[in-house]
Amino acid sequence: MTDKREPVVVVAAVVVRDGRFLLTQRLQGTHLPGLWEFPGGKCEPGESHEACLRRELDEELGVAGQIGDEIIVTEHAYPERVVRLHFRRCTLDGEPRARLGQALRWVTRDELRALPLPEADQALVEILAG
């Protein structure tokens, strides 16, 4: 059976520095609170993926970024919503800081596999941590 709900389009940044991946922790009061994720967020109507990710990087981390190639697109149906995630390679101009009070950390490939991440991120984790 196919889920007929319209997916929420999300774009997330895959940032790597010195062999480590940048992750942020979802805040309480949001969908999937406490899980670790790649920074990014929902696209506004009519917003390009690049514009969305630039806006989210500024809002969440206070940095500009160079938006690179798409790595993978995944879609996942949670009980509350369906998400379509576009993961893009990114480099950051400057040092990220947690502007929303979220935890932020740089993790190794092994840590990436061990941390609690959303189910929708698992296909990307398989590619990155392979």
Side-chain angles (χ1 to χ4, degrees):
M1 182 178 204
T2 304
D3 196 314
K4 300 291 185 195
R5 295 176 289 175
E6 188 65 29
V8 175
V9 177
V10 175
V11 186
V14 178
V15 181
V16 184
R17 279 192 189 163
D18 301 321
R20 293 178 180 264
F21 300 94
L22 178 62
L23 295 182
T24 58
Q25 192 171 35
R26 295 188 59 79
L27 295 169
Q28 294 303 314
T30 63
H31 183 241
L32 308 174
L35 295 183
W36 290 91
E37 67 178 355
F38 294 87
K42 291 183 274 192
C43 282
E44 301 294 336
E47 187 176 42
S48 72
H49 291 179
E50 293 82 3
C52 171
L53 201 45
R54 282 188 187 94
R55 175 180 53 76
E56 289 287 345
L57 290 173
D58 179 53
E59 289 175 3
E60 291 182 17
L61 303 174
V63 293
Q66 306 303 313
I67 313 304
D69 296 339
E70 190 166 79
I71 300 170
I72 188 174
V73 179
T74 68
E75 195 164 298
H76 186 79
Y78 292 102
E80 331 51 66
R81 67 185 60 140
V82 177
V83 294
R84 181 177 298 140
L85 273 160
H86 296 261
F87 291 100
R88 305 281 300 259
R89 295 183 198 284
C90 292
T91 56
L92 302 181
D93 302 331
E95 195 59 37
R97 60 189 190 285
R99 292 184 73 188
L100 305 177
Q102 74 278 34
L104 178 152
R105 66 190 275 196
W106 294 92
V107 302
T108 65
R109 282 178 164 67
D110 289 341
E111 289 171 314
L112 192 60
R113 282 193 175 280
L115 285 172
L117 277 84
E119 291 176 43
D121 292 14
Q122 293 310 309
L124 176 67
V125 170
E126 291 301 316
I127 291 170
L128 299 177

